[in-house]
Amino acid sequence: MELLWLIPAWPLLGFLILTCLAARLPRIMAGSVGVGSVGAAALTALLMAWDFLKHQPGRNAFTQHLWTWLDVAGLHLEIAFYLDALTLVMIIVITGVGFFIHLYSLGYMAHDQGYTRFFAYMNLFVAAMLVLVLADNLPLLYLGWEGVGLCSYLLIGFWYTDPANGYAARKAFVVTRVGDTAMAVGLFVLYNQLGTLQIQEVMQRAAAAWPAGSTMALLTALLLLGGAVGKSAQLPLQTWLPDAMAGPTPVSALIHAATMVTAGVYLIARTHGLFLLAPTALTITAVIGAATLLLAGFSALVQQDIKRVLAYSTISQLGYMFLALGVGAWSAAIFHLFTHAFFKALLFLGAGAVIHALGGEQDMSRMGGLKQKLPLTFWTFLAGAASLAALPLVTAGFYSKDLIIWQAFASPRGGLGFWFMAVAGALLTALYTFRMVLLTFTGPARTPVHHPPGLVMRLPLLVLAFLSLTAGFLETPHSLGHMRVFSGWLHTCLPEAGLAAGREAYEILFELLAGLAALCGIFGALRLYHPLAKSRYSLPESLRQYWIKGWGFDSLYDRLVVRPYIHLAQFNKNDFLDLFFVFLAWLAKTGHQTLAATQNGRLRSYAWGLGLGAAAIAAMVVLL
Amino acid sequence: MLTIPVSHGLLLAGILFLLGFVCVLVRRNIIFILLGLEIMFNAAGLAFVAAGARWGQPDGQIMFLFILTTAAAEVSIGLALVFQLVHRLHTLDIDQADGMKG
């Protein structure tokens, strides 16, 4: 247990080594440091998990105080790590999936100029993400939160010679910053009202100070929700994630699928005590999640770029998690986060293998026929896709998504409306997932294969495919064995969702319907997009364009915010606040010129000056 | 003995001083400027003498002797300057000597 601090320290050390020795490290060393540090963190995390399960610490949590960070005027902040079931799940996901993605990057980035720089950023990211989930107080969490934002920026703009990548990086940074600002304000309000920022303490004091439904609780919950919405790319701040695909594919897998974007879900689950005091905020969370999952699902359906399909799909799956959080199904949200990390990382890595094999081609209309040429990639990708589409019984995605769909109806906060949106989302998910699979892997080959994936790229695919299929058996519904390993474990730190009265009877019916929706989606995709399919239904072009552009949010924000701001900036080019200082400079300059003109070298004008001065003094003496 | 009121003496001194000062201001010829300065010295001296007469003290006349001495010294420096001016600029016009300007 005392080695907890090592988990974030390993990747941080890796980052320091890679940065300080950058050019002097041979490639092979840089790769081993980059992968090894995360591997060491993963091993330490497993050790922690074993230790934690063996000696259940008191109150189901373990806190490690390292040192005092700040101690000013009553604000006492510590660098302290807090380990409970929720954190443990997160660190296992981050270090485990992170390790396999790092391993994969060895192959994917092998011929890249910025090999060392890539691993340095990735290690820094993993360190920041671990600080985020291990943080015992909110400012430390915020440090990790900003750290992952910074790394996301650096890695989206990793190939910085293309201005479009730099633009995407800035967009991601600025848009998430909107949410981060809300979160920072939330922290200020919490400290102002409760006098502490230690997370557990905050929840205890909030419960004592604020009655359920009070304005203060609602305000702080909404501000924290703002941060979560920005980081997790939910409506209305979702626009950055599709553009974030400009980064290398392992980055998309690690940051924009498995870990960073789930930080918002983690934040809400971590501060659930606060959200429980503000039922309105929870309802808003659920509505945001449900709306986002549908909107992103429709957009994913029409994208041509394989990575953008996956990006919208990530937004949509995060929408499921927000929906689950909003209806109070905390452990279901975390369970979906857990399985999603595996299958979405797998899909990104599979897509990366395809892109790598085709020499950088990302357009699905120019892929096809890869089933024979990249069989391993195909089968593993298919496993990930089946899991994303929630193919009943055999995939992890089925168990986690099904749990959310069921809770969206059955939880006391849920209802038929949420259930319906979730099921419609499941249908859409299956449809776009298999559209992607069919367009990429079947039909005639359109681009020749250059580099088939090597061993270091195949191994992560296999491991993640295995996990995508089996991780779901940790938690199965009543009707299917009723395993409760995951939620039983999480309920040591998150409250149980509970069921509304009289709804358990419908469980089998609703599960069948949800399963049926997924099957319908898959079947629909086969009918519509299989190369041998006869029916060719295409959407109206204008609607298709509208969805491709993500429901026009970009142009809306462009008009509402970006352009007015640019106009304002141009209007105020000669900054009007600056006028005062410009005036001061003008005054000094003019005064100098005037006084210099009196220094004309003529004796007689000096004499005039003398005379007038004397006269003035005399006049003053006489008159005053 | 006819006594002149001190105010008359001071008034005359003031007029002389002003005349001398106007001469300094308006003439460009350096010799006339030096003359103007001499007149101003003497105006000041006259004021001392008038004041000394008013209080029946010798101090005013002693001060006038000092002024005469100073004036003599001033004239010697002034004439040296005139020589330099003529030597370097070949003119007596003081406005030509305006090299030291900012």
Side-chain angles (χ1 to χ4, degrees):
Chain A
M1 282 296 196
E2 296 306 322
L3 295 178
L4 186 60
W5 62 274
L6 268 178
I7 299 178
W10 281 118
L12 191 65
L13 183 70
F15 162 73
L16 289 176
I17 293 175
L18 289 174
T19 337
C20 297
L21 300 178
R24 265 162 273 160
L25 275 182
R27 252 174 134 71
I28 179 91
M29 279 292 290
S32 355
V33 170
V35 178
S37 65
V38 181
L43 287 179
T44 318
L46 285 177
L47 190 72
M48 282 301 113
W50 185 70
D51 209 18
F52 192 86
L53 290 171
K54 202 169 146 212
H55 324 90
Q56 284 287 341
R59 299 174 65 204
N60 293 312
F62 168 74
T63 311
Q64 184 175 35
H65 298 276
L66 291 179
W67 67 86
T68 300
W69 184 13
L70 285 178
D71 195 0
V72 205
L75 174 68
H76 182 77
L77 291 180
E78 286 198 342
I79 302 285
F81 294 139
Y82 179 85
L83 186 72
D84 65 0
L86 173 61
T87 310
L88 205 51
V89 170
M90 292 300 291
I91 59 174
I92 298 272
V93 168
I94 294 163
T95 55
V97 176
F99 170 69
F100 286 112
I101 292 171
H102 274 72
L103 190 63
Y104 175 94
S105 308
L106 279 181
Y108 192 84
M109 302 301 286
H111 305 292
D112 200 275
Q113 291 277 316
Y115 190 72
T116 313
R117 185 164 59 95
F118 179 82
F119 281 106
Y121 290 166
M122 291 285 268
N123 276 0
L124 181 63
F125 170 80
V126 173
M129 190 71 204
L130 288 167
V131 168
L132 195 166
V133 296
L134 280 168
D136 168 70
N137 54 55
L138 287 165
L140 188 58
L141 186 151
Y142 198 75
L143 177 75
W145 189 270
E146 292 299 313
V148 293
L150 169 71
C151 294
S152 164
Y153 165 79
L154 291 171
L155 285 164
I156 294 170
F158 182 73
W159 289 313
Y160 55 84
T161 45
D162 183 354
N165 295 345
Y167 176 80
R170 286 197 301 279
K171 181 174 172 184
F173 198 70
V174 171
V175 174
T176 49
R177 185 47 37 96
V178 176
D180 294 355
T181 310
M183 182 174 159
V185 174
L187 299 197
F188 301 151
V189 173
L190 278 177
Y191 181 68
N192 183 269
Q193 292 293 314
L194 302 174
T196 181
L197 285 169
Q198 206 268 332
I199 296 172
Q200 306 305 318
E201 193 80 4
V202 161
M203 291 205 285
Q204 278 167 17
R205 290 199 196 172
W210 298 331
S214 71
T215 326
M216 229 40 210
L218 178 64
L219 177 72
T220 47
L222 283 181
L223 286 168
L224 292 186
L225 176 64
V229 159
K231 211 58 154 185
S232 291
Q234 297 293 294
L235 215 63
L237 297 176
Q238 84 286 32
T239 57
W240 64 271
L241 191 56
D243 288 324
M245 297 298 121
T249 309
V251 171
S252 312
L254 178 63
I255 301 184
H256 305 121
T259 54
M260 185 189 86
V261 288
T262 60
V265 180
Y266 170 79
L267 175 70
I268 295 179
R270 178 48 82 209
T271 55
H272 62 91
L274 203 58
F275 277 79
L276 284 174
L277 295 175
T280 322
L282 276 179
T283 312
I284 293 173
T285 312
V287 170
I288 287 177
T292 311
L293 79 90
L294 280 181
L295 249 61
F298 280 116
S299 279
L301 199 55
V302 293
Q303 299 296 323
Q304 281 304 324
D305 183 323
I306 187 168
K307 285 184 74 182
R308 285 181 88 89
V309 176
L310 291 172
Y312 277 110
S313 153
T314 303
I315 298 177
S316 174
Q317 299 306 307
L318 290 165
Y320 273 106
M321 295 174 210
F322 271 67
L323 174 61
L325 293 171
V327 298
W330 310 102
S331 59
I334 301 301
F335 186 45
H336 196 50
L337 187 162
F338 179 71
T339 59
H340 176 257
F342 297 133
F343 64 72
K344 190 51 68 65
L346 168 64
L347 286 171
F348 267 114
L349 296 187
V354 169
I355 294 166
H356 193 66
L358 300 184
E361 184 56 63
Q362 300 197 5
D363 188 345
M364 289 195 296
S365 65
R366 300 183 57 191
M367 294 176 180
L370 295 173
K371 187 176 157 189
Q372 287 80 24
K373 294 197 179 124
L374 303 170
L376 182 114
T377 310
F378 169 69
W379 288 109
T380 51
F381 196 84
L382 190 66
S387 197
L388 171 59
L391 186 71
L393 305 181
V394 294
T395 60
F398 167 71
Y399 294 104
S400 60
K401 198 186 284 180
D402 190 65
L403 192 62
I404 292 181
I405 295 174
W406 165 241
Q407 300 270 24
F409 168 70
S411 131
R413 298 182 180 285
L416 215 49
F418 285 142
W419 178 83
F420 182 73
M421 288 165 95
V423 169
L427 183 98
L428 272 175
T429 310
L431 196 61
Y432 69 67
T433 309
F434 276 84
R435 169 180 175 269
M436 172 175 71
V437 173
L438 292 168
L439 286 181
T440 311
F441 289 98
T442 62
R446 297 184 186 90
T447 309
V449 172
H450 299 295
H451 330 273
L455 182 67
V456 286
M457 287 168 77
R458 276 184 290 183
L459 182 69
L461 290 177
L462 280 171
V463 173
L464 288 172
F466 173 74
L467 288 170
S468 301
L469 295 178
T470 57
F473 298 126
L474 289 173
E475 178 88 9
T476 58
H478 288 263
S479 44
L480 293 166
H482 193 48
M483 281 289 281
R484 284 263 174 248
V485 176
F486 196 85
S487 55
W489 164 233
L490 274 181
H491 287 154
T492 57
C493 62
L494 291 170
E496 295 218 35
L499 295 178
R503 288 188 184 162
E504 49 289 42
Y506 299 108
E507 184 168 358
I508 297 216
L509 173 69
F510 276 76
E511 273 163 7
L512 277 179
L513 285 173
L516 206 60
L519 286 176
C520 281
I522 297 172
F523 182 68
L526 284 171
R527 285 295 302 273
L528 288 171
Y529 302 110
H530 196 274
L532 300 176
K534 293 187 180 64
S535 61
R536 279 270 166 229
Y537 174 77
S538 58
L539 287 164
E541 188 56 27
S542 56
L543 186 64
R544 216 174 72 87
Q545 285 301 329
Y546 186 56
W547 283 352
I548 282 184
K549 289 179 183 139
W551 299 73
F553 273 95
D554 272 334
S555 58
L556 179 72
Y557 291 157
D558 194 40
R559 255 173 232 163
L560 277 183
V561 183
V562 179
R563 267 191 254 168
Y565 188 78
I566 290 175
H567 278 304
L568 187 70
Q570 272 169 352
F571 168 73
N572 194 22
K573 213 187 228 160
N574 307 316
D575 187 2
F576 80 96
L577 280 179
D578 208 30
L579 282 182
F580 175 68
F581 303 99
V582 171
F583 169 74
L584 276 187
W586 174 86
L587 196 69
K589 212 167 168 179
T590 319
H592 153 74
Q593 278 166 354
T594 317
L595 291 176
T598 63
Q599 196 79 14
N600 57 8
R602 295 187 178 191
L603 186 70
R604 295 190 306 137
S605 67
Y606 298 158
W608 268 107
L610 246 162
L612 290 178
I617 291 170
M620 270 164 64
V621 170
V622 172
L623 291 176
L624 301 178
Chain B
M1 180 178 155
L2 182 71
T3 50
I4 304 167
V6 72
S7 58
H8 287 189
L10 288 181
L11 196 67
L12 178 65
I15 290 169
L16 274 177
F17 188 87
L18 212 62
L19 283 172
F21 188 57
V22 168
C23 176
V24 169
L25 289 182
V26 300
R27 298 307 292 252
R28 292 200 296 188
N29 192 319
I30 188 168
I31 292 173
F32 281 92
I33 290 175
L34 288 173
L35 281 176
L37 284 175
E38 281 310 312
I39 293 170
M40 287 163 73
F41 272 118
N42 286 298
L46 182 62
F48 274 114
V49 172
R54 166 69 178 77
W55 300 108
Q57 298 282 342
D59 302 14
Q61 292 171 29
I62 293 165
M63 197 55 82
F64 184 63
L65 287 177
F66 277 129
I67 288 174
L68 275 183
T69 325
T70 319
E74 182 263 343
V75 162
S76 64
I77 293 168
L79 286 176
L81 283 175
V82 172
F83 276 125
Q84 284 300 320
L85 195 67
V86 174
H87 183 68
R88 295 191 179 210
L89 300 175
H90 311 289
T91 178
L92 287 173
D93 184 357
I94 193 70
D95 281 0
Q96 299 291 315
D98 63 349
M100 274 173 65
K101 55 186 161 195

